[in-house]
Amino acid sequence: MNFFARDVSAPGPDSRLPRGRTRAHLVLPLLLIAAITLSASFAPLAIHLSPLLVAAPTCTAAVARVRFTVAMALTASAAVVLIDWHDGLLHSPLLPIHIGALLAVSGSAVAARALHDRDLRELTQVRAVSEAAQRVLLRPIPHTLGSLRIASMYRAATAHALVGGDLYAAVRSGHATRFLIGDVRGKGLPAVEDASALLGAFREAAPEHETLPQLAASLERSVRRHLAEMSERDPDSAERFITALLIELPDAEETVRVVSCGHPPPLRRQRGGVTHLCVDRPAPPLGLAGSTAEAFPFDTFAFFPGDTLLLYTDGLAEARDATGTFYPVLERAATWTWCCPHSLLQHISHDLDSYAGQHLDDDLAMVAVQRPALHQRPTMKGQ
């Protein structure tokens, strides 16, 4: 299962509201008009309540579309005539003043609502383009690859953004599954460009190289070429780099191979508890490392049926609570629900919201990988 940033698809102004809300929006302004009209019939003739009817279209504009707001303005205008007729103002200059004031305020409310709807349509279009861009950049990882069960999640820190500098990918390579998770230094369009370059290089090179260090060296060369090309229009590109973690899970071995390029270590959950898989000699981030396989040592860890891996970017470890304390990943991991990758990522996301107050200072990408117990093995896919 794959999750993108929250509220990926916002309803446009023409989207239908839930039936209960639609009825409320219809009934409440009408009740307001009816209540003012009824009150006017019992009020002394010297007290004119018709100016209060301007509240109906004004309130309507805050929650309903333009056409409904116009309808409420016309209904309120009819009520003004009825109330002023009751007050004996039918031939008084106060009647056109009351109606003119209501229509003027209603016109302003309708114009504001029309501008709001236009901006909402534009925002919806931008979000749709952003979602499409993310689906191209971060292709959804299949629910299963080989015998593995997988879930992934991406949350952008910037409001209304769906793409950023964090990245993940997975490919089949022979009789193994390889994963990449990374974090580009920087934000904005340059970060998206760097992430796109690395993802493209990984998808192309992962099936071609026999070992994980060879793959890492190939990615380093690709990142350097990309940054060299960017230096022609961005002098700061020489200072950019990408932390990355490469994972390989062979089908026929109960092991996991890890190459770390300055990236936070993954978590492994086994029956004995949750531990970090820390490599002995991490390589520098991509863009700053060596260009040969020897520059990328790897470590091998046990990964048995029923075990689960969690790959994540520093948006998880560097989330802070109200006091500025970092999210204690290893400590909180003992409280997570590890029964399946999908439930795990949901649990982490909710736990992180509770800890950080639903505010992330950095993008967050996570991939959960589980080697099911033998009696839970899924049908082989993606080979």
Side-chain angles (χ1 to χ4, degrees), residues 327 335-337 342-352:
Y327 183 78
T335 68
W336 296 341
T337 302
H342 173 86
S343 299
L344 173 61
L345 296 191
Q346 281 192 324
H347 192 116
I348 296 173
S349 183
H350 295 156
D351 188 47
L352 192 61

Side-chain angles (χ1 to χ4, degrees), residues 24-30 32-33 36 52-65 68-70 72-73 76 105-106 108-110 113:
H25 293 160
L26 175 65
V27 171
L28 290 179
L30 292 175
L32 181 60
I33 293 173
I36 294 174
L52 297 179
L53 289 167
V54 73
T58 304
C59 295
T60 304
V63 294
R65 295 192 293 258
F68 191 56
T69 304
V70 171
M72 285 300 104
V105 174
S106 298
S108 299
V110 168
R113 182 67 202 191

Side-chain angles (χ1 to χ4, degrees), residues 322-336:
T323 65
T325 304
F326 288 115
Y327 183 78
V329 176
L330 195 58
E331 176 184 330
R332 305 286 280 212
T335 68
W336 296 341

Side-chain angles (χ1 to χ4, degrees), residues 270-284:
Q270 295 180 311
R271 290 185 179 179
V274 182
T275 57
H276 277 121
L277 297 187
C278 297
V279 299
D280 291 335
R281 293 180 296 156

Side-chain angles (χ1 to χ4, degrees), residues 102-365:
L102 185 143
L103 292 178
V105 174
S106 298
S108 299
V110 168
R113 182 67 202 191
L115 291 174
H116 173 270
D117 288 351
R118 184 200 64 183
D119 292 342
L120 187 57
R121 283 193 298 270
E122 292 178 354
L123 177 60
T124 302
Q125 292 170 354
V126 169
R127 289 171 67 86
V129 172
S130 181
E131 181 180 0
Q134 183 174 19
R135 290 189 179 278
V136 172
L137 183 63
L138 293 179
R139 298 175 189 171
I141 298 178
H143 299 187
T144 61
L145 282 173
S147 61
L148 304 173
R149 300 168 62 189
I150 306 165
S152 57
M153 174 182 286
Y154 185 92
R155 293 180 56 177
T158 305
H160 306 302
L162 296 177
V163 287
D166 288 7
L167 56 99
Y168 55 74
V171 298
R172 289 287 294 169
S173 176
H175 296 285
T177 305
R178 287 174 171 174
F179 293 88
L180 165 70
I181 190 165
D183 187 357
V184 176
R185 179 185 180 273
K187 297 181 180 180
L189 185 57
V192 175
E193 291 177 338
D194 294 351
S196 178
L198 178 57
L199 286 169
F202 174 76
R203 292 171 183 137
E204 180 71 21
E208 303 297 329
H209 293 279
E210 183 177 352
T211 68
L212 218 53
Q214 290 173 349
L215 172 59
S218 175
L219 296 181
E220 170 67 20
R221 294 190 293 269
S222 296
V223 169
R224 287 193 181 187
R225 285 194 299 268
H226 165 73
L227 295 179
E229 293 173 359
M230 294 297 101
S231 65
E232 298 179 1
R233 56 185 178 89
D234 183 5
D236 295 332
S237 63
E239 301 177 1
R240 282 149 53 180
F241 56 82
I242 306 173
T243 67
L245 193 71
L246 290 169
I247 301 289
E248 182 177 72
L249 292 160
D251 296 339
E253 301 177 27
E254 295 179 345
T255 60
V256 54
R257 302 185 185 105
V258 181
V259 169
S260 176
C261 301
H263 197 80
L267 291 178
R268 179 188 58 185
R269 196 263 187 179
Q270 295 180 311
R271 290 185 179 179
V274 182
T275 57
H276 277 121
L277 297 187
C278 297
V279 299
D280 291 335
R281 293 180 296 156
L286 297 176
L288 303 176
S291 57
T292 63
E294 290 73 20
F296 298 93
F298 72 93
D299 285 291
T300 302
F301 303 90
F303 193 61
F304 301 115
D307 293 354
T308 302
L309 278 178
L310 176 67
L311 320 179
Y312 58 91
T313 58
D314 57 12
L316 179 66
E318 295 182 1
R320 301 170 184 259
D321 63 8
T323 65
T325 304
F326 288 115
Y327 183 78
V329 176
L330 195 58
E331 176 184 330
R332 305 286 280 212
T335 68
W336 296 341
T337 302
W338 292 81
C339 58
C340 75
H342 173 86
S343 299
L344 173 61
L345 296 191
Q346 281 192 324
H347 192 116
I348 296 173
S349 183
H350 295 156
D351 188 47
L352 192 61
D353 285 340
S354 299
Y355 186 87
Q358 296 189 341
H359 174 71
L360 296 180
D361 293 325
D362 197 3
D363 297 336
L364 170 63

Side-chain angles (χ1 to χ4, degrees), residues 88-111:
L89 303 177
L90 194 59
H91 301 290
S92 168
L94 287 179
L95 175 60
I97 292 176
H98 290 166
I99 295 178
L102 185 143
L103 292 178
V105 174
S106 298
S108 299
V110 168

